[in-house]
Amino acid sequence: MSQTPTAEQPAEQSPRILPSELHSPRVPERVNTDGLEETWKERWEREGIYAFDRSAQRHEVFSIDTPPPTVSGSLHVGHVFSYTHTDTLARFQRMRGKAVFYPMGWDDNGLPTERRVQNYFGVRCDPSLPYDPDFTPPHTGGEGKSIKARDQVPISRRNFVELCERLTALDEAQFEALWRHLGLSVDWKQNYQTIGTRARKVAQTAFLRNLARGEAYQAQAPGLWDVTFGTAVAQAEIESREYPGFYHRLAFHVVDPDAAATAAAAGAPIETGPGGTSDVCIETTRPELLAACVALVAHPDDERYQPLFGTTVASPVFGVEVPVLPHPEAEMDKGAGIAMCCTFGDTTDIDWWRDLNLPLRAILRKDGRIETETPAWITTETGRRVYGEMAGKTTYSARQVMVDELRASGEMRGEPTKTTRQTNFFEKGDKPLEIVTSRQWYIRNGGKPWTNPASGKDLAAELLERGQELSFYPDFMRVRYENWVGGLNNDWLISRQRFFGVPFPLWYRVGEDGEVDYDAVITPEESALPVDPSSDVPAGYTEDQRGKPGGFVGELDIMDTWATSSLSPQLASGWLTDADLFERVYPMDLRPQGQDIIRTWLFTSVVRANLEFGALPWANAGLSGWILDSDHKKMSKSKGNVVTPMGLLEKYGSDAVRYWAASARLGLDAAFEETQIKIGRRLAIKILNASKFALSMGIPWDADAAAKAAVPAPSLDAADVTEPIDRAVLAALADVVDAATTAFEGFEHSRALEVTESLFWTFCDDYIELVKDRANDFDGSHDPAAVRSARTTLAIAVDTFVRLFAPFLPFATEEVWSWYRTGSVHRAAWPQAAPLREAAGDADRALVDHAGAALAALRKVKSEAKTSQKTPILSVQLVVPEDAVLAVEAVRADLTQAAKVTGPLVLSPASGEAAPVRVAAVELGEAPAKPNRSKQG
């Protein structure tokens, strides 16, 4: 059997390219894309087509740090979009002979899972409760309504985590079924969960090592807090949104009259109050925080307030004296140019408080309500009365109390005026974030100056260097990483006040006085991991010492979900759990992900790998854009504008949906359009039909099954390709193979699809139409060598196209492959251009275009005459550009048969013209009679 030029391998053939034998074509009577998914996904799994080769050495591997989708609800077409991009690359690399390590992770660690478990099982977590090994939840879902908080049964964290794992297992099964239906070439034996035992071991080990090296630390500090979810929020999880409010103009009373007079003379807006006080007015949207005021701040260059710097003013209502101080972040042209600093109203207050060494006067609790105990710094009778009226209230209710009192005292000048301001929100929250002081854990990320002892470099500068080492696709995404690193102003806050997550593997000693000493940290040995401090006991202690003097308490906070997800390359590759696998796949080749989580997932992964290994966790990052709805808005669950994919997959077929996804370039947003999916379905069907035609040459359809089975396998011997137009097709195929290969190597999957599809339609619309009479040779009138040339070219073209399309339309291409070959197209070799080009010789691929243009002109004549394409052309004069005359002459025989030209075909060169081929004169014959389709008898 002759070797096809598209199947030849490099000198050192990869053992992962499986052999494939040609056999007699078994082409179905009718082709259809329906049902291909069920047929082939089961066979792929059964035959281990996508299984990772554990014998491969690192240089033979292409490893992918697959994004773990959040397991809480359902996938949408945005997931299909980005995961298809990755799958095309995985399939290409596999056909190039690489051992592709393509795992799947499940991100089942997070707030959405907690909410689902609470509502599904009717429970809530109380980490102070002991573990109940026999616990049975009061509900198991299906009631169609959420269980109210007051009706939820409190359970231990360990029991709660078990229920989370139970529910997410159901979600993961649904996700996997959809991914398999889509055709992701994942090795389903390689998977992990971000909350599983392995994930907890990896995340806890990494944290303990961060702690030992001084990269992790705890601090009592003000931080952003979501009162709805009751947890601290990291800088990367913040969204700035517009929020309505009111400006209130409040009068502070200047204590030093001489300073007030000097300031007034300098142009400061000093006003005289109802009681004769000299007042300086500020504007604020947070009057309820007046009791937490620690200073008034103005710009040091503002001459109006320079006389007041170093003096004090008394706050309205409370009468607490606070200093007037300069700070360069104060805005001279905003409002009156002077502002109230409270602890804390916004992040600017934190900067001023820290830089000016101001006292801490926090009055806001973690639940978003005002502290109940009246602060010691409020000493006036009025102040204590008003604070008592606000105590325990929400900020909204406290604001009403404060405004009413300010209005009554005359210390609010004028009425509140409406405004809209940019306010920080937790990305999953619906209320503005507050700033609460609490003890939290941090990992250094370059947000604060720190020199890495391992490298002797400033950490921020080192992380910028890592960004330069990483190849971004597309490259313009690199600036987003650099801007994020350069704009950080704090280290990475990784502790969360939640329950379902990886616990910090820490305990704290309790002093003899019963006070917890948070500086006396107790850590476990790595060999003991994973641990849950809420139920496990540190070495040297017993459970009955928990919370007792001289005993211990467990850390109840858990790690931020990104603290685990940032370790996905280590987790997926077997770090700490499978040394052999880790050696073969790490550092990984590709991190595919969305552009919107560069600042979270990509950056934090770089941070963790840099701290642990002093290197990048992967060499390349492929960034997908967003999917936009019909209004060109980002599609997301929170906006309620998502489209779920299973209906589309069932309606149009997986290949069609994959075509839509793969048509989009990395880094660019794409609109969701069913029209593009319909084009993909048309392409998949055309691949089946065109391949059926090409492989059916020489098979008599009226023969019995035995006769058909005796038909020889298609010839892929390029030596049989002798006709100019046939050799030109091989030249065109060689160019496309080169272009598609180069595109894939540059992570430009959409370009590979584009060039392949373009030639394929030319092949179908022009070449097949030109040569089908010669290839069929129904009357035996053609030269046998010319017939053999056409049939061989058709077979080689199909054999090349199915490989080129395989990464994009895996089901249709596998179906075609099975008609004439053994094995799987997805373990076959990627096409090679060199043997195609060698077989083409000096053929010019432009011949295909010229021949197609001539055929199109002859077809157009019949279309304009509104007659059948089978109508004979008795004579025709074809005007052809001068440089195309020889090309059209070379295909005269095929052209006259395809266009049914029965008389003279005159070619007239159009000297100097760049115009397309056109018909100058034509004589049409009689259209053939339509067959009688009426019933007989």
Side-chain angles (χ1 to χ4, degrees):
M1 183 182 298
S2 298
Q3 172 69 48
T4 167
T6 59
E8 288 185 5
Q9 303 302 315
E12 295 180 6
Q13 178 171 321
S14 168
R16 283 161 288 280
I17 298 299
L18 300 184
S20 175
E21 297 295 327
L22 293 163
H23 58 70
S24 177
R26 294 189 287 269
V27 182
E29 293 287 342
R30 299 181 64 183
V31 300
N32 201 318
T33 59
D34 296 342
L36 293 182
E37 293 86 356
E38 293 304 317
T39 298
W40 291 110
K41 70 182 184 182
E42 292 177 4
R43 178 173 162 182
W44 291 337
E45 180 65 19
R46 184 173 65 252
E47 297 181 2
I49 298 299
Y50 308 128
F52 175 62
D53 180 3
R54 285 291 295 254
S55 69
Q57 300 302 305
R58 181 63 190 89
H59 69 278
E60 301 174 298
V61 171
F62 186 86
S63 53
I64 302 171
D65 185 15
T66 317
T70 302
V71 185
S72 58
S74 61
L75 296 167
H76 60 76
V77 292
H79 294 99
V80 168
F81 178 74
S82 57
Y83 281 75
T84 298
H85 296 171
T86 306
D87 189 60
T88 63
L89 290 166
R91 290 179 177 278
F92 166 73
Q93 292 290 344
R94 194 177 288 112
M95 295 176 75
R96 295 272 280 186
K98 289 286 190 179
V100 175
F101 181 68
Y102 189 12
M104 179 58 69
W106 306 113
D107 189 6
D108 37 23
N109 169 3
L111 284 166
T113 300
E114 290 188 16
R115 294 295 181 262
R116 273 172 53 75
V117 166
Q118 289 172 349
N119 292 328
Y120 191 89
F121 292 113
V123 297
R124 60 181 173 84
C125 182
D126 182 348
S128 67
L129 295 177
Y131 173 65
D132 179 359
D134 300 318
F135 176 75
T136 300
H139 303 278
T140 54
E143 289 86 352
K145 60 181 181 180
S146 298
I147 309 299
K148 294 181 178 180
R150 66 173 179 269
D151 298 325
Q152 294 171 355
V153 175
I155 58 175
S156 74
R157 181 160 73 187
R158 185 173 169 185
N159 286 119
F160 189 79
V161 168
E162 287 178 352
L163 292 179
C164 289
E165 291 173 335
R166 174 175 160 186
L167 185 56
T168 53
L170 300 176
D171 291 336
E172 288 165 12
Q174 294 178 356
F175 279 33
E176 180 178 332
L178 189 144
W179 285 144
R180 286 179 180 270
H181 195 86
L182 179 65
L184 293 192
S185 59
V186 165
D187 180 355
W188 291 102
K189 293 182 176 62
Q190 306 291 340
N191 60 76
Y192 66 90
Q193 296 78 33
T194 59
I195 197 61
T197 300
R198 182 154 53 110
R200 293 198 294 271
K201 177 180 178 63
V202 167
Q204 289 184 345
T205 302
F207 172 79
L208 288 178
R209 294 186 182 184
N210 292 141
L211 182 62
R213 293 191 296 258
E215 299 152 2
Y217 64 92
Q218 60 178 327
Q220 186 84 11
L224 293 164
W225 187 273
D226 187 281
V227 298
T228 302
F229 292 106
T231 186
V233 176
Q235 187 176 348
E237 299 171 303
I238 298 170
E239 287 183 358
S240 180
R241 305 176 196 165
E242 288 190 345
Y243 192 74
F246 290 86
Y247 271 123
H248 308 78
R249 193 162 181 267
L250 309 185
F252 281 71
H253 313 303
V254 182
V255 174
D256 184 345
D258 293 336
T262 305
I270 302 296
E271 302 177 5
T272 302
T277 56
S278 296
D279 299 337
V280 58
C281 294
I282 60 96
E283 292 184 351
T284 180
T285 59
R286 304 293 304 268
E288 72 276 14
L289 296 182
L290 186 59
C293 180
V294 290
L296 295 190
V297 181
H299 195 280
D301 296 336
D302 195 331
E303 296 179 354
R304 296 173 298 174
Y305 298 110
Q306 286 176 348
L308 295 181
F309 292 155
T311 67
T312 60
V313 293
S315 60
V317 175
F318 298 107
V320 177
E321 286 193 28
V322 297
V324 181
L325 299 171
H327 195 284
E329 287 185 13
E331 299 176 89
M332 288 190 282
D333 56 353
K334 183 176 181 181
I338 191 167
M340 173 176 71
C341 175
C342 299
T343 55
F344 296 95
D346 57 25
T347 54
T348 301
D349 283 342
I350 298 177
D351 293 338
W352 290 346
W353 168 77
R354 183 181 295 116
D355 294 348
L356 300 173
N357 196 27
L358 297 168
L360 180 63
R361 292 176 179 169
I363 64 169
L364 198 59
R365 299 191 319 214
K366 291 181 179 180
D367 61 0
R369 294 176 179 269
I370 303 298
E371 290 281 3
T372 54
E373 185 176 344
T374 302
W377 61 85
I378 300 176
T379 58
T380 65
E381 183 178 342
T382 299
R384 296 182 71 82
R385 173 184 61 78
V386 173
Y387 187 92
E389 293 175 9
M390 294 194 304
K393 286 184 166 57
T394 63
T395 54
Y396 177 82
S397 297
R399 187 179 306 141
Q400 298 305 309
V401 172
M402 197 71 247
V403 168
D404 289 345
E405 186 64 30
L406 288 163
R407 185 180 285 118
S409 69
E411 291 170 304
M412 183 172 71
R413 304 295 162 81
E415 286 299 306
T417 57
K418 286 185 178 180
T419 185
T420 300
R421 58 195 176 97
Q422 289 296 121
T423 307
N424 288 326
F425 284 77
F426 178 34
E427 59 189 1
K428 293 181 173 61
D430 55 9
K431 291 183 179 179
L433 293 172
E434 297 291 358
I435 296 174
V436 173
T437 301
S438 58
R439 182 185 58 83
Q440 303 289 346
W441 280 97
Y442 297 83
I443 287 180
R444 301 189 189 278
N445 67 353
K448 291 181 176 181
W450 186 73
T451 300
N452 185 352
S455 64
K457 297 179 180 178
D458 174 74
L459 181 57
E462 191 171 37
L463 294 173
L464 287 171
E465 287 180 10
R466 293 283 176 253
Q468 286 297 315
E469 296 169 8
L470 181 63
S471 295
F472 285 81
Y473 296 95
D475 187 68
F476 67 77
M477 288 291 179
R478 184 188 311 277
V479 71
R480 300 194 183 188
Y481 173 90
E482 293 173 342
N483 288 345
W484 177 251
V485 177
L488 286 170
N489 54 34
N490 202 2
D491 283 331
W492 177 14
L493 170 66
I494 63 164
S495 49
R496 293 293 181 271
Q497 291 65 49
R498 297 192 349 258
F499 312 113
F500 186 52
V502 176
F504 284 94
L506 305 171
W507 299 266
Y508 306 98
R509 290 188 176 87
V510 178
E512 296 299 334
D513 58 358
E515 292 294 320
V516 178
D517 184 356
Y518 289 104
D519 292 327
V521 179
I522 306 171
T523 59
E525 295 293 331
E526 286 188 10
S527 59
L529 300 176
V531 298
D532 183 349
S534 68
S535 56
D536 294 327
V537 178
Y541 291 85
T542 58
E543 178 61 35
D544 59 7
Q545 291 180 281
R546 186 182 297 272
K548 302 293 178 58
F552 70 94
V553 295
E555 172 63 80
L556 297 181
D557 286 356
I558 63 169
M559 296 184 199
D560 168 26
T561 182
W562 294 112
T564 304
S565 297
S566 63
L567 296 166
S568 63
Q570 293 82 11
L571 183 55
S573 59
W575 182 53
L576 303 177
T577 60
D578 189 337
D580 178 75
L581 178 65
F582 187 68
E583 183 178 314
R584 297 179 193 279
V585 304
Y586 190 92
M588 305 180 87
D589 291 279
L590 175 65
R591 154 62 70 83
Q593 64 164 75
Q595 58 172 316
D596 53 332
I597 51 175
I598 291 175
R599 63 194 173 97
T600 48
W601 194 33
L602 188 146
F603 172 65
T604 56
S605 296
V606 172
V607 170
R608 302 305 289 279
N610 183 72
L611 294 175
E612 185 65 37
F613 302 102
L616 286 170
W618 1 257
N620 307 285
L623 291 310
S624 295
W626 289 335
I627 289 301
L628 309 178
D629 64 13
S630 56
D631 295 325
H632 292 275
K633 294 179 180 177
K634 180 189 174 186
M635 199 175 283
S636 68
K637 293 179 184 178
S638 61
K639 291 189 171 95
N641 61 348
V642 300
V643 176
T644 53
M646 187 53 85
L648 294 170
L649 296 174
E650 292 173 343
K651 181 178 180 180
Y652 296 109
S654 297
D655 282 345
V657 177
R658 288 173 63 100
Y659 170 85
W660 157 75
S663 298
R665 293 171 56 191
L666 283 178
L668 299 184
D669 299 341
F672 171 71
E673 296 179 354
E674 285 196 48
T675 302
Q676 191 78 354
I677 297 177
K678 293 176 182 177
I679 294 173
R681 180 174 175 82
R682 176 172 169 253
L683 175 61
I685 293 173
K686 191 67 174 180
I687 289 172
L688 295 174
N689 279 320
S691 301
K692 174 185 175 181
F693 172 82
L695 296 171
S696 298
M697 297 298 97
I699 301 177
W701 286 103
D702 55 351
D704 58 25
K708 290 180 180 179
V711 173
S715 170
L716 299 175
D717 187 351
D720 290 338
V721 180
T722 55
E723 296 298 301
I725 185 66
D726 302 338
R727 292 169 66 230
V729 167
L730 297 189
L733 281 170
D735 287 348
V736 167
V737 168
D738 274 341
T741 303
T742 299
F744 262 127
E745 288 173 343
F747 296 86
E748 295 182 353
H749 61 269
S750 61
R751 175 61 181 162
L753 174 59
E754 179 187 359
V755 297
T756 302
E757 184 184 6
S758 177
L759 181 62
F760 176 73
W761 285 114
T762 298
F763 169 76
C764 295
D765 296 342
D766 297 337
Y767 177 74
I768 287 180
E769 291 301 317
L770 277 167
V771 304
K772 64 181 181 182
D773 285 316
R774 172 159 55 98
N776 276 308
D777 191 27
F778 289 126
D779 57 6
S781 62
H782 293 83
D783 175 24
V787 173
R788 190 162 54 250
S789 178
R791 291 180 178 178
T792 302
T793 303
L794 287 169
I796 289 175
V798 167
D799 201 55
T800 304
F801 276 124
V802 293
R803 297 169 195 244
L804 291 171
F805 278 123
F808 308 102
L809 287 75
F811 296 103
T813 52
E814 188 76 296
E815 175 71 8
V816 171
W817 188 263
S818 71
W819 294 347
Y820 72 104
R821 276 190 176 275
T822 60
S824 169
V825 68
H826 304 299
R827 293 294 293 275
W830 182 252
Q832 301 293 313
L836 289 167
R837 207 175 301 284
E838 181 181 353
D842 59 356
D844 183 359
R845 67 164 292 177
L847 177 59
V848 179
D849 298 325
H850 293 317
L855 179 60
L858 296 174
R859 286 174 177 170
K860 182 180 179 183
V861 168
K862 297 180 185 181
S863 297
E864 290 177 343
K866 298 183 178 179
T867 188
S868 167
Q869 289 296 327
K870 294 182 179 180
T871 300
I873 296 176
L874 304 181
S875 65
V876 63
Q877 179 186 3
L878 205 57
V879 179
V880 181
E882 193 171 30
D883 62 352
V885 172
L886 292 178
V888 177
E889 186 63 50
V891 298
R892 176 184 286 273
D894 287 332
L895 186 63
T896 55
Q897 287 188 328
K900 305 294 187 260
V901 179
T902 60
L905 169 61
V906 178
L907 300 181
S908 299
S911 179
E913 289 189 22
V917 178
R918 60 184 176 86
V919 173
V922 67
E923 181 183 359
L924 296 175
E926 290 294 324
K930 293 182 179 180
N932 186 356
R933 300 184 182 278
S934 62
K935 293 184 178 180
Q936 303 296 318

